[in-house]
Amino acid sequence: MLERFDGVVDEAVRSGAEAVVMVSHGVAIRVWLAARAVNVTAEDVKRRELDNTGVVIADRASDGTWRVLSWAGLPIGPAGDEPRDSGPAGQPL
């Protein structure tokens, strides 16, 4: 499953688009993020549900690593800390 998901993500990255929307099953998204994002763990994604039509925003760094920026509308901290209601500088997101 991860290999197939990686292939689709890699194709999207190679497209050169600035941003890409990908649609998949919530569990597939959670599994992929647990395996590939550097700031969330399997335990983190186990605790966080992802409803149908839920949105997770992830960003690929220049070194090729992935980081979750927000989960279901709430920002995620650098080490996967619990979602907060505002950004790191206190501004509403």
Side-chain angles (χ1 to χ4, degrees), residues 1-73:
M1 175 266 167
L2 287 173
E3 188 176 305
R4 289 181 66 192
F5 209 100
D6 285 339
V8 173
V9 170
D10 290 344
E11 185 177 339
V13 169
R14 285 191 311 270
S15 76
E18 186 175 323
V20 176
V21 174
M22 301 183 81
V23 179
S24 184
H25 294 281
V27 172
I29 294 168
R30 291 167 65 200
V31 167
W32 188 82
L33 290 170
R36 302 298 187 244
V38 297
N39 66 326
V40 294
T41 65
E43 193 59 36
D44 292 329
V45 299
K46 181 179 173 185
R47 287 192 327 260
R48 292 187 177 101
E49 293 188 21
L50 186 58
D51 293 333
N52 290 336
T53 71
V55 175
V56 175
I57 298 175
D59 187 44
R60 184 173 178 262
S62 59
D63 65 0
T65 59
W66 287 93
R67 212 171 266 295
V68 175
L69 303 178
S70 70
W71 191 287

